[in-house]
Amino acid sequence: MSNRKECIAMILAGGQGSRLLALTKQIAKPAVSFGGKYRIIDFSLSNCANSGITTVGVLTQYRPYLLNNYIGNGASWDLDVSAGGVFILPPYATEAGGQWYAGTADAIYQNQDFIDGFDPEYVLILSGDHLYSMDYREMLRTHVEKGADLTISVMRVPMEEASRFGIMSVNEDGRIVRFAEKPAQPESNLASMGIYVFSAAVLKRVLKEDSKNTSSDHDFGKNVIPAMLAAGYGLYSYEFDGYWRDVGTIQTYYDTSMEFLAEEPPIDLSSKTAPIMSHENPDPAQFIGPQARLSNCVVANGAQVFGRAERSIIGSAAFVAEGAEVKDSILLPGCSVKHGARVLRTIVGEGAVVEAGASVGSLDGEITVYA
Amino acid sequence: MNTVIGLISANYDTPGLGELSAERTVASMPFAGRYRLLDFPLSAMINAGITTVGLITPYKYRSIIDHVGAGKEWSLDRKHSGLFVLPGSVYGISAPDSRLLIKDLRSNAIFFHRSPAPYVLVSSSNLVANMDFREITETHRSEENDITLVFGREGFLECFMINRDLILKVLEWYKTVEYMDMLKVLEPNFAEMKVGRFEFTGYAHTIYSVQDYFNRSMDLLKSEVREQLFRSDRPIMTKIQDSAPSRYLSGSKVSNALIPAGCIIGGTVENSVIFRGNRIEPGAVVKNSIVMQGCSVAEGAVLENVIVDKGNVIEPGVSLRGTSEHPFVVGKTKDEYAR
């Protein structure tokens, strides 16, 4: 029986996301809780499933336990299929010794055997820490139509923010003519979203070349893409105009979370055609107590609210006691705010306990992380 | 080896539920915001380490099969053992007084012949409880009973443990009585058997009528009841729907309510149990009521002591009131309230 696939996905999920501070002390960034009941990697896994890509490698490295446990056999995303499925791909040892993934490109390079096993025509490379809903099939179609070697998904960002991204300059056909990683003087506002479709044979070749280059950091944005441009490969852009966020810092994590409080959230999480799926615990329905007051809140199952909450996200099985007040805050799953406590503009970590009468955070100034 | 197999009977009629069970069996009655009644005995079996469960389906089995599927959520989609769907006969439709028809046991006799387990734990599908079934096994085994009947504060809970050999003997002995309840047939002979009792002192109620359904739902608003039913060491598992967390709009007034994910609440909800996919618009009032999945209640509508079945739309300004003794039921088919 042939395992051959047209397209497989490789999700880079090894990063710490150190700027998320206490939120990623114990877990990798893709495993960080989001929106009450999700984890960030739910978005890319759901996108794969919703795009009909059922062979997915997940490259883990930093504190992978929770992520591995969470993904399991992929059943929560309907990815537990017999011809394919989800594969956790940690660094491994060989007769030549073992080594960590040195960079994004190296992580893929070290799993060339895995890719070869499915002999795909195309390889989709994703980051496990982005929030968006996208049908990869459209991007793949563009790639095939243009006869590209590599297609990079891009979006327009405000010009003043462009120097934070990898910036593309493209011709009228969408072909990338120049690429600059975090340029001081950006000449365009087309930013790379870190989503790549490679023709598998090209990927294999360029990764092999990159692996031999001792001065390379083995990173797609920094090394591989510039080298491919220089070598004259066909690099094309695919413009995405939907909602996309990289929650790299506490501030962006907080702001993005708050965007989901809107009556029409930026991503239709319960979409009939492209739902965001997650690995759910069997929590009971949420209970809102007799004295509770909830205004402009998102509440997940298993939560119990007896106090007041305003403009906040209350995660799975979180607890807000009577007499407690939560404002402009994000309560991550399983945390607890005890009687009379005040939580203002704070992210309360998973399982953290705000003791009775305590006061955490303030409505102005920096966002507090309480974990 | 696992010494116990589970058997859930769902092939009987509950006329007291009226139109609430017109298109579904009591086993698939929505309950507690996100469950079906069947989830309670089924989860209790899994939590007690039982890995083989037979489910005797009712004649109207669409909703129950839709819910349990291959038993994935209960870890019953297994290579060895797992969930066995045992088709029930049409006679369950007219059997309000029996739980386990001999006919249904006979037509599925192979399930009992094949298993090497000595004990069968039988539960009806309308029992709201979260028992530790291992304690029943322990009593049954240590007392060397033939049958151990489970009693709660309201009497017999239609849950018992029986030796598998005895079931096979019953099928031998009563070749001619098909449409009778197995326990009723055995009852006259209890004196010749070792029949034990297991007293369960926790929360346990069976649901037979609209009134039972309403009262048991309202019980869920008491913390001592929730604590007994929803325990982290014995979780109630159910079919997962990927609903987004619920949103409570500014201006919503919610108190003493059980609400699952997938809802948008803009109005007033008091002393009520709401189900998945509900939309309670700003200006709507829901009090002492149960609103099943996929409904919407428009601005100015008032529900008090009402049970609204799935998929209803309560139009603006419509006011429906029952009493706590006689809740008003908006059935699935009553479309004068629906678009």
Side-chain angles (χ1 to χ4, degrees):
Chain A
M1 194 191 89
S2 164
N3 259 335
R4 202 161 186 285
K5 298 280 167 195
E6 190 197 9
C7 182
I8 69 168
M10 301 292 272
I11 302 182
L12 297 160
Q16 177 186 0
S18 55
R19 288 173 303 155
L20 284 173
L21 312 172
L23 296 184
T24 53
K25 204 164 169 217
Q26 302 295 332
I27 58 177
K29 184 177 163 195
V32 168
S33 169
F34 185 83
K37 69 169 248 195
Y38 303 95
R39 295 195 183 273
I40 293 173
I41 199 163
D42 284 336
F43 291 80
S44 32
L45 286 172
S46 298
N47 288 341
C48 285
N50 294 331
S51 304
I53 297 170
T54 52
T55 304
V56 181
V58 181
L59 299 112
T60 61
Q61 178 153 285
Y62 175 80
R63 290 200 182 265
Y65 169 70
L66 191 144
L67 196 58
N68 297 352
N69 187 25
Y70 182 75
I71 295 171
N73 67 351
S76 299
W77 302 269
D78 273 344
L79 291 171
D80 54 334
V81 296
S82 50
V86 177
F87 301 83
I88 305 278
L89 303 171
Y92 57 90
T94 66
E95 70 277 14
Q99 54 181 321
W100 298 109
Y101 295 148
T104 52
D106 181 54
I108 304 293
Y109 175 70
Q110 288 199 41
N111 286 287
Q112 188 64 52
D113 287 352
F114 171 81
I115 298 172
D116 288 345
F118 292 98
D119 190 19
E121 201 74 35
Y122 309 103
V123 180
L124 173 67
I125 295 173
L126 308 169
S127 291
D129 51 8
H130 296 160
L131 300 167
Y132 63 112
S133 174
M134 180 171 173
D135 189 337
Y136 300 131
R137 283 173 294 204
E138 289 173 30
M139 181 174 174
L140 192 58
R141 205 172 302 133
T142 311
H143 180 85
V144 176
E145 278 167 14
K146 303 272 185 195
D149 294 313
L150 163 62
T151 301
I152 302 176
S153 185
V154 297
M155 62 184 298
R156 294 198 182 273
V157 296
M159 207 64 201
E160 61 272 21
E161 288 179 30
S163 50
R164 289 175 36 221
F165 294 90
I167 294 295
M168 318 280 161
S169 303
V170 302
N171 70 15
E172 63 283 0
D173 191 33
R175 184 165 180 159
I176 298 166
V177 291
R178 269 182 305 281
F179 173 84
E181 184 73 8
K182 296 183 180 140
Q185 251 90 50
E187 59 172 45
S188 126
N189 67 340
L190 279 181
S192 166
M193 296 160 63
I195 301 169
Y196 312 118
V197 173
F198 274 93
S199 292
V202 173
L203 177 68
K204 190 170 183 171
R205 197 178 322 134
V206 298
L207 288 184
K208 193 160 189 189
E209 280 161 17
D210 176 73
S211 75
K212 290 182 196 147
N213 181 353
T214 48
S215 63
S216 170
D217 289 331
H218 310 298
D219 184 88
F220 279 108
K222 233 161 121 184
N223 313 107
V224 176
I225 294 167
M228 285 178 75
L229 264 180
Y233 282 101
L235 274 61
Y236 285 82
S237 62
Y238 168 78
E239 199 170 330
F240 178 72
D241 58 4
Y243 179 89
W244 178 91
R245 291 286 184 277
D246 175 2
V247 288
T249 63
I250 290 294
Q251 184 70 48
T252 53
Y253 176 85
Y254 179 87
D255 293 342
T256 305
S257 298
M258 289 299 162
E259 287 178 331
F260 282 77
L261 281 177
E263 204 172 330
E264 291 295 329
I267 294 174
D268 182 5
L269 300 164
S270 328
S271 156
K272 284 252 185 284
T273 50
I276 303 302
M277 296 167 265
S278 68
H279 177 134
E280 243 185 83
N281 287 326
D283 287 320
Q286 48 213 257
F287 182 72
I288 313 302
Q291 309 300 324
R293 288 289 295 277
L294 278 172
S295 174
N296 198 9
C297 286
V298 161
V299 186
N301 275 342
Q304 299 183 71
V305 183
F306 292 88
R308 296 166 68 100
E310 203 183 319
R311 233 181 91 77
S312 294
I313 294 169
I314 300 171
S316 308
F319 178 80
V320 179
E322 204 173 311
E325 191 189 353
V326 177
K327 224 174 182 175
D328 293 353
S329 292
I330 301 166
L331 307 188
L332 297 189
C335 77
S336 173
V337 180
K338 301 227 162 142
H339 183 85
R342 286 184 87 201
V343 174
L344 306 174
R345 207 169 143 80
T346 294
I347 302 167
V348 182
E350 286 192 50
V353 177
V354 180
E355 294 296 348
S359 184
V360 182
S362 75
L363 286 183
D364 38 26
E366 287 284 290
I367 295 148
T368 305
V369 178
Y370 184 91
Chain B
M1 189 198 76
N2 222 315
T3 56
V4 185
I5 59 176
L7 182 66
I8 294 179
S9 59
N11 190 21
Y12 49 89
D13 192 24
T14 46
L17 280 167
E19 53 191 316
L20 290 178
S21 64
E23 288 182 25
R24 61 166 83 86
T25 165
V26 66
S28 46
M29 271 295 286
F31 190 72
R34 66 173 308 199
Y35 303 97
R36 306 278 183 158
L37 285 179
L38 168 76
D39 292 338
F40 289 80
L42 188 53
S43 300
M45 286 178 179
I46 305 317
N47 291 332
I50 297 174
T51 54
T52 301
V53 177
L55 172 64
I56 299 183
T57 60
Y59 186 64
K60 290 179 280 185
Y61 57 81
R62 189 206 57 82
S63 60
I64 200 167
I65 298 296
D66 180 26
H67 185 68
V68 295
K72 195 172 192 169
E73 270 86 4
W74 299 268
S75 307
L76 286 172
D77 57 336
R78 302 165 60 87
K79 196 165 171 183
H80 300 290
S81 60
L83 179 72
F84 293 82
V85 174
L86 309 175
S89 62
V90 67
Y91 298 94
I93 279 188
S94 50
D97 302 319
S98 61
R99 293 294 157 267
L100 204 53
L101 293 170
I102 290 188
K103 166 123 182 132
D104 291 346
L105 293 173
R106 190 185 310 288
S107 53
N108 296 294
I110 194 161
F111 173 72
F112 303 99
H113 278 292
R114 266 189 193 158
S115 169
Y119 312 122
V120 182
L121 180 77
V122 183
S123 174
S124 62
S125 50
N126 56 337
L127 174 59
V128 179
N130 190 348
M131 281 185 233
D132 185 350
F133 282 153
R134 282 172 298 201
E135 292 176 7
I136 300 167
T137 311
E138 206 36 58
T139 302
H140 187 81
R141 200 195 323 240
S142 64
E143 295 180 359
E144 299 182 336
N145 293 332
D146 296 310
I147 300 177
T148 304
L149 302 170
V150 181
F151 283 79
R153 282 175 297 193
E154 68 171 24
F156 180 48
L157 291 174
E158 287 167 354
C159 175
F160 58 95
M161 182 162 277
I162 183 169
N163 292 342
R164 186 174 57 91
D165 286 351
L166 185 52
I167 291 184
L168 294 174
K169 280 182 198 157
V170 168
L171 295 180
E172 259 315 291
W173 295 337
Y174 299 95
K175 278 196 167 138
T176 51
V177 283
E178 300 232 291
Y179 308 115
M180 284 187 74
D181 181 79
M182 185 192 69
L183 266 195
K184 289 217 172 76
V185 164
L186 280 179
E187 215 172 342
N189 307 316
F190 272 7
E192 291 139 52
M193 292 180 243
K194 195 151 186 318
V195 179
R197 272 173 83 102
F198 177 87
E199 304 284 343
F200 181 69
T201 53
Y203 185 89
H205 289 281
T206 45
I207 290 180
Y208 284 107
S209 63
V210 170
Q211 191 59 47
D212 287 345
Y213 180 74
F214 186 78
N215 291 345
R216 301 297 73 93
S217 296
M218 291 301 149
D219 283 351
L220 297 166
L221 302 175
K222 299 173 190 153
S223 61
E224 66 272 19
V225 173
R226 287 196 312 279
E227 278 160 22
Q228 287 191 50
L229 290 179
F230 306 119
R231 308 163 50 115
S232 54
D233 58 341
R234 296 204 293 270
I236 306 298
M237 292 154 266
T238 190
K239 184 178 175 183
I240 300 287
Q241 305 277 2
D242 282 313
S243 303
S246 284
R247 42 193 70 243
Y248 297 77
L249 311 181
S250 53
S252 66
K253 292 198 183 89
V254 181
S255 75
N256 208 31
L258 194 63
I259 298 177
C263 292
I264 298 175
I265 312 286
T268 299
V269 180
E270 253 179 61
N271 305 322
S272 293
V273 178
I274 305 296
F275 285 74
R276 188 170 53 81
N278 263 307
R279 204 180 167 99
I280 313 293
E281 299 285 354
V285 176
V286 177
K287 279 186 181 170
N288 308 327
S289 292
I290 298 158
V291 186
M292 292 189 201
Q293 55 270 49
C295 293
S296 64
V297 183
E299 187 188 349
V302 179
L303 302 177
E304 203 170 339
N305 295 307
V306 176
I307 301 172
V308 184
D309 207 330
K310 276 173 81 169
N312 276 292
V313 175
I314 308 297
E315 300 282 2
V318 170
S319 175
L320 300 173
R321 285 190 171 84
T323 65
S324 57
E325 287 77 33
H326 296 285
F328 184 83
V329 177
V330 182
K332 246 175 158 179
T333 49
K334 264 196 182 165
D335 56 8
E336 65 255 44
Y337 304 111
R339 250 179 224 123

